[in-house]
Amino acid sequence: MVRRFDVCNGDADGLCAAVQWRLHEPMAAELVTGLKRDIALLGRVPGRAGDEVNVFDISMQRNRDDLLRLLGDGVRVRYFDHHAAGEVPVHPGLETHIDEASAVCTSLLVDRHLGGAYRAWALVGIYGDNLGAVADRLALQRDFEPGDCAALRRLGELINYNAYGEDERDVCIAPRLLFPMMARHPDPRDMLAREAVVDDIEAVRRNDLRQAAGAVPFWQGPGGSVRMLPDAPWSRRVIGCLANTLANSEPDLAHAVLKAQGDSYVVSVRAPLSLPRGAHSLCSRFGGAGRSRAAGIDRLPHADLQRFVEAFANASWA
């Protein structure tokens, strides 16, 4: 008996990519997901010969060993992603859809592959991944009204917000529980109308952003700013949203938001929206990963703080 697994990041892009696929192929599949920083997810898949695995929005570079394990065991893998992939294996059991361009996300890749069949859900994922201009252009192709776009943007941003935290106790609802709520609505506007969890997430986000508004720059220069947050449930949720908010409000500047975590910091970096390059390159120097426009570091030791700030201040975003 063939077993199917859908493996995805728990943010808007990953979940919306997986939703599109399951609407396209409505077969039973075991969901493997987690919070935003849960990247090494293929290690949770107990695949065997003949199984099928769909992967959405997790770095192939971070999952390479487990990908090779699955392929070696005879598992067929379909892989959609936009993060730095490293060397992509060539294997008859592997189908890849990888595009690392700065104006691409995984929901967009699935939308392309399916010919826009579930465009509304694709737009939710693209808006949630802070690619508003890309989503607006796609919406125009299908005559979505401005009010629809605003609603889909809201939903994408809220689903994305819900992915941030250290563990499931930090978030409003675990992504593994949010996914089936999403998947039962072929049109995400129905989810907005019928699922109370959407308003619950928004209330949490609004309160968290009020607390984050008091974060003054730890460092500020002509090219951007670095902000520091304390370690608290609200800051663990707000770090990515605050980075996106700053990027959208000052599109010509780069932004880094750091959150204290024991003897280290969690870091979220956004390249200037007007020059969306260099975030992954910067973060990879400190053990982080991501994309050219947005990346992060899971553990920056306190001793490396000044070195990181200096590297950020001198980074080239062109």
Side-chain angles (χ1 to χ4, degrees), residues 10-27:
D11 67 358
D13 190 26
L15 292 176
C16 291
V19 166
Q20 290 178 76
W21 191 265
R22 276 301 142 221
L23 290 172
H24 161 71
E25 192 178 76
M27 299 178 182

PDB file of all heavy atoms in Angstrom, residues 10-27:
ATOM      1  N   GLY A  10       5.513  25.421   8.317  1.00  0.00           N
ATOM      2  CA  GLY A  10       4.238  25.789   8.909  1.00  0.00           C
ATOM      3  C   GLY A  10       3.841  27.231   8.715  1.00  0.00           C
ATOM      4  O   GLY A  10       2.878  27.689   9.342  1.00  0.00           O
ATOM      5  N   ASP A  11       4.555  27.969   7.847  1.00  0.00           N
ATOM      6  CA  ASP A  11       4.181  29.353   7.576  1.00  0.00           C
ATOM      7  C   ASP A  11       3.170  29.401   6.436  1.00  0.00           C
ATOM      8  O   ASP A  11       2.735  28.370   5.908  1.00  0.00           O
ATOM      9  CB  ASP A  11       5.422  30.209   7.293  1.00  0.00           C
ATOM     10  CG  ASP A  11       6.131  29.833   5.995  1.00  0.00           C
ATOM     11  OD1 ASP A  11       5.690  28.878   5.303  1.00  0.00           O
ATOM     12  OD2 ASP A  11       7.139  30.495   5.668  1.00  0.00           O
ATOM     13  N   ALA A  12       2.794  30.621   6.025  1.00  0.00           N
ATOM     14  CA  ALA A  12       1.759  30.763   4.999  1.00  0.00           C
ATOM     15  C   ALA A  12       2.189  30.134   3.684  1.00  0.00           C
ATOM     16  O   ALA A  12       1.395  29.460   3.014  1.00  0.00           O
ATOM     17  CB  ALA A  12       1.423  32.243   4.811  1.00  0.00           C
ATOM     18  N   ASP A  13       3.427  30.357   3.286  1.00  0.00           N
ATOM     19  CA  ASP A  13       3.890  29.852   2.004  1.00  0.00           C
ATOM     20  C   ASP A  13       3.854  28.334   1.964  1.00  0.00           C
ATOM     21  O   ASP A  13       3.346  27.729   1.009  1.00  0.00           O
ATOM     22  CB  ASP A  13       5.311  30.379   1.735  1.00  0.00           C
ATOM     23  CG  ASP A  13       5.782  30.105   0.325  1.00  0.00           C
ATOM     24  OD1 ASP A  13       4.936  29.980  -0.579  1.00  0.00           O
ATOM     25  OD2 ASP A  13       7.007  30.040   0.118  1.00  0.00           O
ATOM     26  N   GLY A  14       4.390  27.695   2.993  1.00  0.00           N
ATOM     27  CA  GLY A  14       4.414  26.242   3.014  1.00  0.00           C
ATOM     28  C   GLY A  14       3.031  25.628   3.089  1.00  0.00           C
ATOM     29  O   GLY A  14       2.696  24.697   2.332  1.00  0.00           O
ATOM     30  N   LEU A  15       2.191  26.125   3.989  1.00  0.00           N
ATOM     31  CA  LEU A  15       0.856  25.561   4.154  1.00  0.00           C
ATOM     32  C   LEU A  15      -0.004  25.780   2.914  1.00  0.00           C
ATOM     33  O   LEU A  15      -0.732  24.881   2.474  1.00  0.00           O
ATOM     34  CB  LEU A  15       0.170  26.161   5.381  1.00  0.00           C
ATOM     35  CG  LEU A  15       0.755  25.780   6.746  1.00  0.00           C
ATOM     36  CD1 LEU A  15       0.032  26.539   7.858  1.00  0.00           C
ATOM     37  CD2 LEU A  15       0.677  24.282   6.999  1.00  0.00           C
ATOM     38  N   CYS A  16       0.078  26.974   2.318  1.00  0.00           N
ATOM     39  CA  CYS A  16      -0.743  27.258   1.136  1.00  0.00           C
ATOM     40  C   CYS A  16      -0.274  26.463  -0.072  1.00  0.00           C
ATOM     41  O   CYS A  16      -1.093  26.093  -0.925  1.00  0.00           O
ATOM     42  CB  CYS A  16      -0.733  28.754   0.827  1.00  0.00           C
ATOM     43  SG  CYS A  16      -1.623  29.749   2.048  1.00  0.00           S
ATOM     44  N   ALA A  17       1.016  26.200  -0.165  1.00  0.00           N
ATOM     45  CA  ALA A  17       1.505  25.336  -1.238  1.00  0.00           C
ATOM     46  C   ALA A  17       0.936  23.930  -1.081  1.00  0.00           C
ATOM     47  O   ALA A  17       0.466  23.314  -2.055  1.00  0.00           O
ATOM     48  CB  ALA A  17       3.031  25.304  -1.215  1.00  0.00           C
ATOM     49  N   ALA A  18       0.956  23.404   0.149  1.00  0.00           N
ATOM     50  CA  ALA A  18       0.434  22.061   0.399  1.00  0.00           C
ATOM     51  C   ALA A  18      -1.073  21.999   0.184  1.00  0.00           C
ATOM     52  O   ALA A  18      -1.598  21.001  -0.337  1.00  0.00           O
ATOM     53  CB  ALA A  18       0.790  21.626   1.816  1.00  0.00           C
ATOM     54  N   VAL A  19      -1.791  23.051   0.563  1.00  0.00           N
ATOM     55  CA  VAL A  19      -3.240  23.091   0.342  1.00  0.00           C
ATOM     56  C   VAL A  19      -3.556  23.022  -1.147  1.00  0.00           C
ATOM     57  O   VAL A  19      -4.442  22.268  -1.585  1.00  0.00           O
ATOM     58  CB  VAL A  19      -3.855  24.357   0.972  1.00  0.00           C
ATOM     59  CG1 VAL A  19      -5.280  24.577   0.459  1.00  0.00           C
ATOM     60  CG2 VAL A  19      -3.887  24.231   2.486  1.00  0.00           C
ATOM     61  N   GLN A  20      -2.827  23.808  -1.947  1.00  0.00           N
ATOM     62  CA  GLN A  20      -3.055  23.762  -3.395  1.00  0.00           C
ATOM     63  C   GLN A  20      -2.884  22.343  -3.921  1.00  0.00           C
ATOM     64  O   GLN A  20      -3.686  21.871  -4.735  1.00  0.00           O
ATOM     65  CB  GLN A  20      -2.075  24.686  -4.110  1.00  0.00           C
ATOM     66  CG  GLN A  20      -2.302  26.165  -3.919  1.00  0.00           C
ATOM     67  CD  GLN A  20      -1.233  26.954  -4.651  1.00  0.00           C
ATOM     68  OE1 GLN A  20      -1.267  27.077  -5.871  1.00  0.00           O
ATOM     69  NE2 GLN A  20      -0.272  27.484  -3.895  1.00  0.00           N
ATOM     70  N   TRP A  21      -1.821  21.672  -3.464  1.00  0.00           N
ATOM     71  CA  TRP A  21      -1.565  20.332  -3.987  1.00  0.00           C
ATOM     72  C   TRP A  21      -2.670  19.367  -3.598  1.00  0.00           C
ATOM     73  O   TRP A  21      -3.115  18.545  -4.408  1.00  0.00           O
ATOM     74  CB  TRP A  21      -0.210  19.808  -3.519  1.00  0.00           C
ATOM     75  CG  TRP A  21       0.132  18.562  -4.288  1.00  0.00           C
ATOM     76  CD1 TRP A  21      -0.091  17.272  -3.917  1.00  0.00           C
ATOM     77  CD2 TRP A  21       0.674  18.525  -5.603  1.00  0.00           C
ATOM     78  NE1 TRP A  21       0.300  16.415  -4.919  1.00  0.00           N
ATOM     79  CE2 TRP A  21       0.774  17.159  -5.965  1.00  0.00           C
ATOM     80  CE3 TRP A  21       1.103  19.506  -6.497  1.00  0.00           C
ATOM     81  CZ2 TRP A  21       1.272  16.763  -7.189  1.00  0.00           C
ATOM     82  CZ3 TRP A  21       1.604  19.099  -7.722  1.00  0.00           C
ATOM     83  CH2 TRP A  21       1.680  17.745  -8.060  1.00  0.00           C
ATOM     84  N   ARG A  22      -3.139  19.437  -2.359  1.00  0.00           N
ATOM     85  CA  ARG A  22      -4.167  18.495  -1.910  1.00  0.00           C
ATOM     86  C   ARG A  22      -5.520  18.790  -2.538  1.00  0.00           C
ATOM     87  O   ARG A  22      -6.341  17.892  -2.704  1.00  0.00           O
ATOM     88  CB  ARG A  22      -4.263  18.499  -0.387  1.00  0.00           C
ATOM     89  CG  ARG A  22      -3.248  17.608   0.266  1.00  0.00           C
ATOM     90  CD  ARG A  22      -3.372  16.162  -0.189  1.00  0.00           C
ATOM     91  NE  ARG A  22      -2.023  15.562  -0.335  1.00  0.00           N
ATOM     92  CZ  ARG A  22      -1.665  14.780  -1.307  1.00  0.00           C
ATOM     93  NH1 ARG A  22      -2.503  14.479  -2.283  1.00  0.00           N
ATOM     94  NH2 ARG A  22      -0.452  14.282  -1.359  1.00  0.00           N
ATOM     95  N   LEU A  23      -5.793  20.047  -2.898  1.00  0.00           N
ATOM     96  CA  LEU A  23      -7.013  20.332  -3.652  1.00  0.00           C
ATOM     97  C   LEU A  23      -6.903  19.763  -5.065  1.00  0.00           C
ATOM     98  O   LEU A  23      -7.885  19.286  -5.640  1.00  0.00           O
ATOM     99  CB  LEU A  23      -7.257  21.840  -3.702  1.00  0.00           C
ATOM    100  CG  LEU A  23      -7.655  22.493  -2.373  1.00  0.00           C
ATOM    101  CD1 LEU A  23      -7.685  24.009  -2.513  1.00  0.00           C
ATOM    102  CD2 LEU A  23      -9.019  21.984  -1.896  1.00  0.00           C
ATOM    103  N   HIS A  24      -5.687  19.804  -5.601  1.00  0.00           N
ATOM    104  CA  HIS A  24      -5.429  19.244  -6.928  1.00  0.00           C
ATOM    105  C   HIS A  24      -5.476  17.722  -6.911  1.00  0.00           C
ATOM    106  O   HIS A  24      -5.974  17.084  -7.856  1.00  0.00           O
ATOM    107  CB  HIS A  24      -4.050  19.732  -7.404  1.00  0.00           C
ATOM    108  CG  HIS A  24      -3.450  18.929  -8.509  1.00  0.00           C
ATOM    109  ND1 HIS A  24      -3.934  18.943  -9.805  1.00  0.00           N
ATOM    110  CD2 HIS A  24      -2.384  18.068  -8.514  1.00  0.00           C
ATOM    111  CE1 HIS A  24      -3.202  18.146 -10.558  1.00  0.00           C
ATOM    112  NE2 HIS A  24      -2.262  17.598  -9.809  1.00  0.00           N
ATOM    113  N   GLU A  25      -4.958  17.128  -5.851  1.00  0.00           N
ATOM    114  CA  GLU A  25      -4.863  15.670  -5.734  1.00  0.00           C
ATOM    115  C   GLU A  25      -5.469  15.257  -4.390  1.00  0.00           C
ATOM    116  O   GLU A  25      -4.748  15.052  -3.413  1.00  0.00           O
ATOM    117  CB  GLU A  25      -3.387  15.250  -5.813  1.00  0.00           C
ATOM    118  CG  GLU A  25      -3.162  13.771  -5.989  1.00  0.00           C
ATOM    119  CD  GLU A  25      -1.678  13.434  -6.116  1.00  0.00           C
ATOM    120  OE1 GLU A  25      -0.980  13.442  -5.074  1.00  0.00           O
ATOM    121  OE2 GLU A  25      -1.215  13.189  -7.243  1.00  0.00           O
ATOM    122  N   PRO A  26      -6.793  15.147  -4.325  1.00  0.00           N
ATOM    123  CA  PRO A  26      -7.463  14.919  -3.028  1.00  0.00           C
ATOM    124  C   PRO A  26      -7.343  13.478  -2.546  1.00  0.00           C
ATOM    125  O   PRO A  26      -8.317  12.725  -2.505  1.00  0.00           O
ATOM    126  CB  PRO A  26      -8.914  15.296  -3.337  1.00  0.00           C
ATOM    127  CG  PRO A  26      -9.073  15.038  -4.793  1.00  0.00           C
ATOM    128  CD  PRO A  26      -7.752  15.325  -5.432  1.00  0.00           C
ATOM    129  N   MET A  27      -6.127  13.115  -2.175  1.00  0.00           N
ATOM    130  CA  MET A  27      -5.865  11.784  -1.626  1.00  0.00           C
ATOM    131  C   MET A  27      -5.388  11.927  -0.185  1.00  0.00           C
ATOM    132  O   MET A  27      -4.817  12.951   0.190  1.00  0.00           O
ATOM    133  CB  MET A  27      -4.796  11.064  -2.451  1.00  0.00           C
ATOM    134  CG  MET A  27      -5.164  10.840  -3.906  1.00  0.00           C
ATOM    135  SD  MET A  27      -3.799  10.041  -4.801  1.00  0.00           S
ATOM    136  CE  MET A  27      -4.507   9.974  -6.462  1.00  0.00           C
TER     137      MET A  27
END
